[in-house]
Amino acid sequence: MELMKELSLAPGVSGSEEKIAEIITRELKDVADDIEIDSMGNIIATKKGEKKAPTVMLAAHMDEIGLMVRYIDDNGFILFSLIGGINDQMLMNQTVTIHSSVGEDVVGVIGSKPPHVTSPEERNKVVKSNDMFIDIGAKDKEEAEKMVRIGDIMTFNSIFAEYPNNRIMGKALDNRVGCYVMMEVLKRVETRATVYGVGTVQEEVGLKGAKTVSFKLNPDLAFALDVTLSGDHPGIKPDEAPVVMGKGPAIILADASGRGILTQQSVKDMLIKAGDDNEIPYQLEVSDGGTTDGTAIHLTREGIPTGVLSVPTRYIHTPVSVCSMDDIEATIQLIVEAINSL
Protein backbone atom coordinates (compact mmCIF):
# COMPACT_ATOMS: atom_id res chain seq x y z
CA MET A 1 0.00 0.00 0.00
CA GLU A 2 2.86 2.42 0.78
CA LEU A 3 4.33 1.92 -2.70
CA MET A 4 0.94 2.57 -4.29
CA LYS A 5 0.62 5.75 -2.21
CA GLU A 6 4.07 6.94 -3.25
CA LEU A 7 3.31 6.32 -6.91
CA SER A 8 0.00 8.17 -6.70
CA LEU A 9 1.38 11.29 -5.00
CA ALA A 10 4.55 11.57 -7.10
CA PRO A 11 4.42 14.15 -9.93
CA GLY A 12 4.69 12.88 -13.49
CA VAL A 13 2.79 14.92 -16.07
CA SER A 14 3.36 13.83 -19.68
CA GLY A 15 6.92 14.70 -20.68
CA SER A 16 8.08 14.95 -17.05
CA GLU A 17 7.98 11.36 -15.80
CA GLU A 18 11.41 11.30 -14.15
CA LYS A 19 10.16 10.90 -10.56
CA ILE A 20 8.19 7.78 -11.50
CA ALA A 21 11.18 6.34 -13.32
CA GLU A 22 13.24 6.87 -10.16
CA ILE A 23 10.73 4.88 -8.10
CA ILE A 24 10.68 2.05 -10.65
CA THR A 25 14.48 1.96 -10.72
CA ARG A 26 14.65 1.72 -6.94
CA GLU A 27 12.03 -1.03 -6.77
CA LEU A 28 13.49 -3.19 -9.55
CA LYS A 29 17.24 -2.73 -9.15
CA ASP A 30 17.54 -6.04 -7.27
CA VAL A 31 15.08 -7.85 -9.55
CA ALA A 32 16.12 -6.86 -13.06
CA ASP A 33 19.33 -7.91 -14.75
CA ASP A 34 19.49 -4.57 -16.52
CA ILE A 35 17.73 -1.19 -16.25
CA GLU A 36 18.03 1.57 -18.82
CA ILE A 37 16.28 4.79 -19.77
CA ASP A 38 16.01 5.40 -23.50
CA SER A 39 16.17 8.67 -25.39
CA MET A 40 12.42 9.25 -25.03
CA GLY A 41 12.49 8.71 -21.27
CA ASN A 42 10.96 5.23 -21.23
CA ILE A 43 12.42 3.04 -18.50
CA ILE A 44 13.19 -0.58 -19.45
CA ALA A 45 13.87 -3.17 -16.75
CA THR A 46 14.98 -6.49 -18.25
CA LYS A 47 14.65 -9.84 -16.50
CA LYS A 48 16.64 -12.16 -18.74
CA GLY A 49 15.46 -15.63 -19.68
CA GLU A 50 16.87 -18.40 -21.79
CA LYS A 51 18.46 -17.52 -25.13
CA LYS A 52 15.90 -19.09 -27.47
CA ALA A 53 12.86 -18.43 -25.28
CA PRO A 54 10.27 -15.80 -26.27
CA THR A 55 10.44 -12.15 -25.19
CA VAL A 56 7.55 -10.47 -23.43
CA MET A 57 7.04 -6.74 -22.83
CA LEU A 58 4.90 -5.34 -20.02
CA ALA A 59 4.06 -1.70 -20.75
CA ALA A 60 2.59 0.69 -18.19
CA HIS A 61 2.53 4.40 -18.88
CA MET A 62 4.06 6.58 -16.18
CA ASP A 63 2.49 9.91 -17.13
CA GLU A 64 -0.57 11.61 -15.70
CA ILE A 65 -2.77 14.43 -16.94
CA GLY A 66 -1.89 17.94 -15.83
CA LEU A 67 -1.39 21.55 -16.85
CA MET A 68 1.41 23.71 -18.24
CA VAL A 69 2.14 27.41 -17.77
CA ARG A 70 1.29 29.13 -21.05
CA TYR A 71 1.29 32.86 -20.22
CA ILE A 72 1.81 35.23 -17.30
CA ASP A 73 -0.26 38.41 -17.40
CA ASP A 74 0.69 41.87 -16.11
CA ASN A 75 -1.02 41.25 -12.78
CA GLY A 76 0.87 38.00 -12.12
CA PHE A 77 -1.95 35.60 -12.97
CA ILE A 78 -1.11 32.47 -14.94
CA LEU A 79 -2.90 31.16 -18.00
CA PHE A 80 -2.42 27.50 -18.77
CA SER A 81 -2.69 24.73 -21.35
CA LEU A 82 -4.18 21.30 -20.71
CA ILE A 83 -1.85 18.30 -20.95
CA GLY A 84 -3.96 15.22 -21.66
CA GLY A 85 -7.72 14.70 -21.65
CA ILE A 86 -9.25 16.95 -18.98
CA ASN A 87 -12.88 17.90 -18.43
CA ASP A 88 -13.11 21.68 -17.98
CA GLN A 89 -15.76 21.24 -15.29
CA MET A 90 -13.27 19.32 -13.12
CA LEU A 91 -10.82 22.23 -13.03
CA MET A 92 -12.89 24.80 -11.18
CA ASN A 93 -11.35 25.89 -7.85
CA GLN A 94 -8.79 23.07 -7.78
CA THR A 95 -5.43 23.70 -6.16
CA VAL A 96 -2.33 22.80 -8.13
CA THR A 97 1.40 22.53 -7.56
CA ILE A 98 3.54 24.25 -10.15
CA HIS A 99 6.84 22.40 -10.41
CA SER A 100 8.98 25.46 -10.94
CA SER A 101 12.11 25.43 -13.06
CA VAL A 102 13.37 28.64 -11.39
CA GLY A 103 12.89 27.83 -7.72
CA GLU A 104 10.81 25.86 -5.26
CA ASP A 105 7.41 24.37 -6.08
CA VAL A 106 4.58 26.88 -6.03
CA VAL A 107 0.99 26.27 -4.93
CA GLY A 108 -1.73 27.92 -7.01
CA VAL A 109 -5.49 27.94 -7.15
CA ILE A 110 -7.56 27.82 -10.33
CA GLY A 111 -9.91 30.79 -10.38
CA SER A 112 -12.53 32.27 -12.68
CA LYS A 113 -15.14 34.98 -12.77
CA PRO A 114 -17.21 34.62 -9.54
CA PRO A 115 -20.96 33.88 -9.72
CA HIS A 116 -21.77 37.17 -8.02
CA VAL A 117 -20.95 39.09 -11.21
CA THR A 118 -22.06 36.61 -13.86
CA SER A 119 -25.25 36.89 -15.87
CA PRO A 120 -27.96 34.19 -15.57
CA GLU A 121 -26.91 32.90 -18.99
CA GLU A 122 -23.28 32.58 -17.91
CA ARG A 123 -24.23 30.72 -14.71
CA ASN A 124 -25.91 27.98 -16.73
CA LYS A 125 -22.83 27.30 -18.84
CA VAL A 126 -19.73 25.27 -18.02
CA VAL A 127 -16.78 27.64 -17.62
CA LYS A 128 -14.15 26.87 -20.24
CA SER A 129 -10.52 26.34 -19.27
CA ASN A 130 -9.57 29.29 -21.48
CA ASP A 131 -11.62 31.52 -19.16
CA MET A 132 -9.80 30.28 -16.05
CA PHE A 133 -6.53 31.42 -14.55
CA ILE A 134 -4.19 30.44 -11.73
CA ASP A 135 -3.52 32.67 -8.73
CA ILE A 136 -0.11 32.16 -7.08
CA GLY A 137 -0.27 35.25 -4.89
CA ALA A 138 2.10 37.33 -7.02
CA LYS A 139 1.45 41.08 -7.11
CA ASP A 140 2.57 41.52 -10.73
CA LYS A 141 4.18 39.83 -13.72
CA GLU A 142 7.72 40.60 -12.58
CA GLU A 143 7.20 38.87 -9.23
CA ALA A 144 5.43 35.90 -10.84
CA GLU A 145 8.32 35.39 -13.28
CA LYS A 146 10.68 35.02 -10.32
CA MET A 147 8.49 32.13 -9.12
CA VAL A 148 7.54 30.26 -12.31
CA ARG A 149 8.43 30.13 -15.97
CA ILE A 150 6.57 29.48 -19.23
CA GLY A 151 6.48 25.71 -19.78
CA ASP A 152 6.50 24.70 -16.10
CA ILE A 153 4.21 21.73 -15.49
CA MET A 154 1.48 21.50 -12.86
CA THR A 155 -0.04 18.58 -11.00
CA PHE A 156 -3.38 18.56 -9.21
CA ASN A 157 -3.18 18.47 -5.43
CA SER A 158 -4.85 15.49 -3.79
CA ILE A 159 -4.52 13.15 -0.85
CA PHE A 160 -4.13 9.40 -0.95
CA ALA A 161 -6.72 7.59 1.16
CA GLU A 162 -7.36 3.98 2.09
CA TYR A 163 -11.07 3.27 1.75
CA PRO A 164 -13.09 0.40 3.22
CA ASN A 165 -13.21 -2.92 1.34
CA ASN A 166 -9.52 -2.67 0.40
CA ARG A 167 -10.11 0.26 -1.94
CA ILE A 168 -7.94 3.30 -2.49
CA MET A 169 -8.46 6.90 -3.60
CA GLY A 170 -5.91 9.27 -5.09
CA LYS A 171 -4.67 11.17 -8.09
CA ALA A 172 -2.92 9.63 -11.09
CA LEU A 173 -4.24 6.10 -10.52
CA ASP A 174 -4.31 6.27 -14.31
CA ASN A 175 -1.76 4.88 -14.62
CA ARG A 176 0.30 4.45 -11.49
CA VAL A 177 -1.85 1.36 -10.94
CA GLY A 178 -0.38 -0.09 -14.13
CA CYS A 179 3.14 0.82 -12.98
CA TYR A 180 2.53 -1.00 -9.70
CA VAL A 181 1.22 -4.06 -11.54
CA MET A 182 4.20 -4.08 -13.91
CA MET A 183 6.70 -3.98 -11.05
CA GLU A 184 4.95 -6.69 -9.05
CA VAL A 185 4.75 -8.99 -12.06
CA LEU A 186 8.46 -8.58 -12.73
CA LYS A 187 9.18 -9.42 -9.08
CA ARG A 188 7.03 -12.57 -9.11
CA VAL A 189 7.25 -14.08 -12.57
CA GLU A 190 9.24 -17.30 -13.04
CA THR A 191 9.60 -18.12 -16.70
CA ARG A 192 12.00 -19.19 -19.43
CA ALA A 193 11.06 -16.02 -21.31
CA THR A 194 12.91 -12.72 -21.18
CA VAL A 195 10.55 -10.18 -19.66
CA TYR A 196 10.83 -6.43 -20.21
CA GLY A 197 9.11 -4.27 -17.58
CA VAL A 198 8.60 -0.92 -19.28
CA GLY A 199 7.38 2.39 -17.91
CA THR A 200 6.32 4.36 -20.97
CA VAL A 201 6.14 8.13 -21.39
CA GLN A 202 3.55 10.45 -22.92
CA GLU A 203 0.70 7.96 -23.30
CA GLU A 204 -1.88 10.60 -22.42
CA VAL A 205 -0.81 12.78 -25.33
CA GLY A 206 -0.51 10.23 -28.13
CA LEU A 207 0.92 6.87 -27.00
CA LYS A 208 4.33 8.27 -27.86
CA GLY A 209 6.69 6.31 -25.63
CA ALA A 210 5.01 3.01 -26.47
CA LYS A 211 5.63 3.59 -30.17
CA THR A 212 9.36 4.04 -29.80
CA VAL A 213 10.08 1.45 -27.11
CA SER A 214 8.15 -1.33 -28.85
CA PHE A 215 10.12 -0.61 -32.03
CA LYS A 216 13.37 -0.83 -30.03
CA LEU A 217 12.54 -4.06 -28.16
CA ASN A 218 10.39 -5.78 -30.82
CA PRO A 219 9.06 -8.39 -28.35
CA ASP A 220 7.33 -11.60 -29.35
CA LEU A 221 4.39 -10.75 -27.08
CA ALA A 222 3.28 -7.64 -25.21
CA PHE A 223 0.78 -6.63 -22.56
CA ALA A 224 -0.37 -3.08 -21.93
CA LEU A 225 -1.31 -2.55 -18.28
CA ASP A 226 -3.75 0.27 -17.61
CA VAL A 227 -7.07 1.21 -16.01
CA THR A 228 -10.58 1.29 -17.43
CA LEU A 229 -13.88 2.92 -16.54
CA SER A 230 -15.74 1.30 -13.68
CA GLY A 231 -19.44 1.70 -14.41
CA ASP A 232 -20.77 0.96 -10.94
CA HIS A 233 -21.78 4.43 -9.78
CA PRO A 234 -24.73 6.80 -10.37
CA GLY A 235 -25.06 8.38 -13.80
CA ILE A 236 -23.79 5.42 -15.86
CA LYS A 237 -26.02 2.81 -17.47
CA PRO A 238 -24.79 -0.82 -17.23
CA ASP A 239 -24.50 -1.12 -21.01
CA GLU A 240 -22.38 2.06 -21.20
CA ALA A 241 -19.63 0.71 -18.90
CA PRO A 242 -20.36 -2.87 -17.84
CA VAL A 243 -16.99 -3.47 -16.13
CA VAL A 244 -17.25 -2.96 -12.36
CA MET A 245 -14.96 -2.78 -9.37
CA GLY A 246 -14.34 -5.93 -7.37
CA LYS A 247 -14.69 -8.52 -10.13
CA GLY A 248 -11.13 -8.56 -11.38
CA PRO A 249 -9.30 -6.93 -14.29
CA ALA A 250 -10.86 -6.29 -17.66
CA ILE A 251 -9.41 -8.28 -20.54
CA ILE A 252 -9.84 -5.82 -23.40
CA LEU A 253 -11.23 -7.44 -26.55
CA ALA A 254 -11.67 -4.16 -28.43
CA ASP A 255 -11.37 -0.47 -27.63
CA ALA A 256 -12.22 2.77 -29.43
CA SER A 257 -14.75 0.76 -31.47
CA GLY A 258 -11.90 -1.14 -33.08
CA ARG A 259 -9.95 1.96 -34.05
CA GLY A 260 -7.68 1.11 -31.13
CA ILE A 261 -6.91 -2.54 -30.54
CA LEU A 262 -8.76 -5.64 -31.68
CA THR A 263 -7.07 -8.30 -29.57
CA GLN A 264 -6.13 -11.35 -31.60
CA GLN A 265 -7.64 -14.69 -30.65
CA SER A 266 -4.47 -16.37 -29.39
CA VAL A 267 -3.85 -13.58 -26.87
CA LYS A 268 -7.48 -13.59 -25.72
CA ASP A 269 -7.32 -17.35 -25.24
CA MET A 270 -4.07 -17.13 -23.27
CA LEU A 271 -5.46 -14.58 -20.81
CA ILE A 272 -8.84 -16.27 -20.42
CA LYS A 273 -7.19 -19.66 -19.87
CA ALA A 274 -4.85 -18.20 -17.24
CA GLY A 275 -7.85 -16.84 -15.39
CA ASP A 276 -10.00 -19.96 -15.69
CA ASP A 277 -7.25 -22.47 -14.87
CA ASN A 278 -6.15 -20.57 -11.76
CA GLU A 279 -9.59 -19.35 -10.59
CA ILE A 280 -8.58 -15.71 -10.98
CA PRO A 281 -11.55 -13.37 -11.54
CA TYR A 282 -11.63 -11.35 -14.75
CA GLN A 283 -14.08 -9.46 -16.92
CA LEU A 284 -14.33 -9.05 -20.69
CA GLU A 285 -14.63 -5.59 -22.18
CA VAL A 286 -15.57 -4.23 -25.59
CA SER A 287 -15.28 -0.45 -25.49
CA ASP A 288 -16.35 2.41 -27.71
CA GLY A 289 -14.22 4.84 -25.71
CA GLY A 290 -10.52 5.50 -25.28
CA THR A 291 -7.47 3.40 -25.98
CA THR A 292 -4.12 2.43 -24.46
CA ASP A 293 -0.46 1.85 -25.26
CA GLY A 294 -1.59 -1.49 -26.68
CA THR A 295 -2.81 0.28 -29.81
CA ALA A 296 0.64 1.65 -30.61
CA ILE A 297 2.45 -1.54 -29.62
CA HIS A 298 0.47 -3.98 -31.74
CA LEU A 299 1.02 -1.92 -34.91
CA THR A 300 4.82 -1.77 -34.52
CA ARG A 301 7.11 -3.26 -37.17
CA GLU A 302 5.39 -6.35 -38.65
CA GLY A 303 2.89 -6.36 -35.80
CA ILE A 304 3.29 -7.52 -32.19
CA PRO A 305 0.67 -9.81 -30.57
CA THR A 306 -0.64 -7.63 -27.75
CA GLY A 307 -3.10 -7.95 -24.90
CA VAL A 308 -4.51 -5.25 -22.66
CA LEU A 309 -5.39 -5.78 -19.01
CA SER A 310 -7.09 -2.90 -17.22
CA VAL A 311 -8.07 -2.36 -13.59
CA PRO A 312 -11.63 -0.97 -13.14
CA THR A 313 -11.33 2.57 -11.78
CA ARG A 314 -13.89 5.24 -10.93
CA TYR A 315 -13.48 8.93 -11.84
CA ILE A 316 -10.55 8.49 -14.21
CA HIS A 317 -8.75 11.71 -15.23
CA THR A 318 -9.57 13.49 -11.99
CA PRO A 319 -7.53 13.96 -8.79
CA VAL A 320 -9.87 11.62 -6.90
CA SER A 321 -9.91 8.26 -8.68
CA VAL A 322 -10.99 5.13 -6.78
CA CYS A 323 -10.06 1.49 -7.39
CA SER A 324 -9.70 -1.83 -5.59
CA MET A 325 -6.44 -3.35 -4.38
CA ASP A 326 -8.13 -6.74 -4.79
CA ASP A 327 -8.55 -6.07 -8.52
CA ILE A 328 -4.93 -4.95 -8.71
CA GLU A 329 -3.80 -8.19 -7.08
CA ALA A 330 -5.95 -10.26 -9.46
CA THR A 331 -4.39 -8.43 -12.40
CA ILE A 332 -0.90 -9.26 -11.16
CA GLN A 333 -1.76 -12.91 -10.65
CA LEU A 334 -3.38 -13.27 -14.08
CA ILE A 335 -0.43 -11.79 -15.95
CA VAL A 336 2.07 -13.85 -13.95
CA GLU A 337 0.20 -17.06 -14.74
CA ALA A 338 -0.12 -16.16 -18.42
CA ILE A 339 3.61 -15.50 -18.76
CA ASN A 340 4.59 -18.56 -16.73
CA SER A 341 2.51 -20.69 -19.11
CA LEU A 342 4.57 -19.72 -22.14
Side-chain angles (χ1 to χ4, degrees):
M1 191 71 78
E2 283 304 309
L3 177 56
M4 193 63 249
K5 178 180 180 179
E6 183 182 12
L7 286 165
S8 171
L9 294 177
V13 176
S14 304
S16 300
E17 300 91 347
E18 296 85 3
K19 295 291 185 184
I20 313 306
E22 288 174 10
I23 296 171
I24 293 172
T25 299
R26 183 197 72 209
E27 287 295 311
L28 296 182
K29 62 182 174 61
D30 296 326
V31 176
D33 296 296
D34 179 70
I35 297 178
E36 66 172 303
I37 295 178
D38 68 14
S39 57
M40 278 287 289
N42 300 300
I43 183 167
I44 306 164
T46 304
K47 193 171 183 178
K48 294 179 180 177
E50 298 176 12
K51 281 189 176 181
K52 295 186 178 180
T55 56
V56 182
M57 181 173 75
L58 306 171
H61 73 87
M62 299 184 288
D63 59 319
E64 64 186 288
I65 59 168
L67 309 174
M68 181 177 284
V69 177
R70 177 172 56 85
Y71 181 77
I72 302 171
D73 74 11
D74 292 340
N75 295 313
F77 293 102
I78 293 170
L79 305 184
F80 57 88
S81 292
L82 308 180
I83 304 298
I86 297 175
N87 187 332
D88 288 349
Q89 186 171 317
M90 181 273 286
L91 292 169
M92 285 290 291
N93 309 123
Q94 293 278 1
T95 61
V96 297
T97 294
I98 304 173
H99 301 279
S100 175
S101 57
V102 293
E104 296 182 354
D105 288 353
V106 176
V107 174
V109 62
I110 301 176
S112 66
K113 187 176 179 181
H116 309 75
V117 291
T118 56
S119 66
E121 292 78 13
E122 287 176 316
R123 284 180 218 142
N124 291 327
K125 294 179 180 178
V126 173
V127 179
K128 300 295 184 184
S129 60
N130 286 339
D131 295 322
M132 300 179 195
F133 53 85
I134 294 174
D135 187 341
I136 59 171
K139 66 178 184 292
D140 55 30
K141 183 173 185 174
E142 183 179 2
E143 184 176 21
E145 287 179 334
K146 293 177 181 177
M147 300 166 69
V148 300
R149 178 177 290 170
I150 305 300
D152 285 348
I153 59 110
M154 293 174 252
T155 51
F156 299 106
N157 293 331
S158 179
I159 63 170
F160 181 90
E162 296 182 32
Y163 273 12
N165 303 304
N166 207 24
R167 296 172 178 179
I168 58 173
M169 183 280 291
K171 79 165 182 67
L173 298 189
D174 178 8
N175 184 38
R176 305 298 155 67
V177 164
C179 294
Y180 180 89
V181 170
M182 180 271 288
M183 289 188 285
E184 286 299 310
V185 171
L186 212 65
K187 291 173 184 178
R188 301 185 200 182
V189 72
E190 296 179 3
T191 175
R192 295 173 52 250
T194 290
V195 182
Y196 303 112
V198 179
T200 65
V201 298
Q202 301 188 46
E203 187 265 4
E204 298 289 2
V205 290
L207 317 178
K208 296 178 184 178
K211 294 176 183 177
T212 59
V213 76
S214 54
F215 187 92
K216 171 186 174 71
L217 296 177
N218 194 24
D220 297 309
L221 175 67
F223 296 104
L225 308 172
D226 214 311
V227 298
T228 189
L229 296 177
S230 182
D232 54 356
H233 60 80
I236 298 182
K237 298 176 183 177
D239 65 301
E240 292 176 327
V243 170
V244 297
M245 195 182 305
K247 294 187 177 181
I251 298 172
I252 307 302
L253 307 182
D255 62 23
S257 298
R259 297 184 305 277
I261 195 168
L262 288 167
T263 306
Q264 67 185 61
Q265 192 63 46
S266 62
V267 179
K268 295 180 198 174
D269 291 344
M270 172 189 293
L271 292 172
I272 289 170
K273 188 175 189 302
D276 290 343
D277 287 354
N278 297 281
E279 298 184 346
I280 301 168
Y282 64 85
Q283 305 172 74
L284 301 177
E285 179 175 358
V286 174
S287 169
D288 293 336
T291 192
T292 71
D293 275 343
T295 292
I297 295 165
H298 89 285
L299 293 175
T300 299
R301 293 183 182 252
E302 295 88 356
I304 297 170
T306 303
V308 180
L309 268 183
S310 297
V311 175
T313 304
R314 297 173 182 165
Y315 330 124
I316 292 172
H317 282 210
T318 78
V320 290
S321 297
V322 176
C323 71
S324 164
M325 289 300 295
D326 292 336
D327 288 336
I328 292 173
E329 177 59 26
T331 307
I332 296 165
Q333 291 178 10
L334 198 153
I335 285 286
V336 167
E337 293 296 342
I339 295 173
N340 286 348
S341 71
L342 288 173

